[in-house]
Amino acid sequence: MQQSQVTVGQEFPVVESPEITHIQLVKYAGASGDFNPIHTVVPIAEKAGLGGVIAHGMLIMGLAGRAITTWIPRKNLRRFGVRFTAMTRPGEQIIVTGKVLEQITAGSENRLRCSVEAKNQAGETKLKGEFEVAL
């Protein structure tokens, strides 16, 4: 990515993921090692007052990260952080958007500071974050 190719305020293409499934949550539990039953066992999640299983927050962050690496080569990613704002349940589709906030210099490296946001199909925000990429 060249500095001349980006402008502050530029939005990245929207990245939509398929609906989150219960099977996906079980597979993610195995891949991540996070076997907290609130993510995979409906009766336990209901007993915990969640109304059913919820997706791992890191799964949603991973979907946001995948969107970022479709916009920017992974080798250019320097920083990525998010704040979770709502639970995600099976049946929800995650839609990731992002935009350039500013051009900055870190040390001798020119970078872009950008925002990322993941929402479901109803517009409920699941996470918000920022990332920096080298130009």
Side-chain angles (χ1 to χ4, degrees), residues 33-111:
D34 180 353
F35 293 102
N36 187 326
I38 64 170
H39 300 298
T40 56
V41 182
V42 172
I44 291 178
E46 288 176 345
K47 189 175 180 180
L50 298 173
V53 295
I54 60 171
H56 303 74
M58 294 305 288
L59 172 61
I60 308 308
M61 185 177 181
L63 295 175
R66 184 170 58 189
I68 291 169
T69 58
T70 65
W71 301 328
I72 307 288
R74 184 180 314 192
K75 67 180 182 179
N76 293 38
L77 185 61
R78 297 294 185 262
R79 189 181 67 79
F80 174 36
V82 302
R83 177 171 290 243
F84 300 102
T85 57
M87 294 184 284
T88 301
R89 299 178 186 285
E92 292 185 83
Q93 181 185 19
I94 298 302
I95 301 155
V96 182
T97 59
K99 69 178 178 181
V100 177
L101 299 175
E102 66 177 335
Q103 292 189 20
I104 61 173
T105 302
S108 61
E109 188 173 61
N110 291 323
R111 295 183 182 181

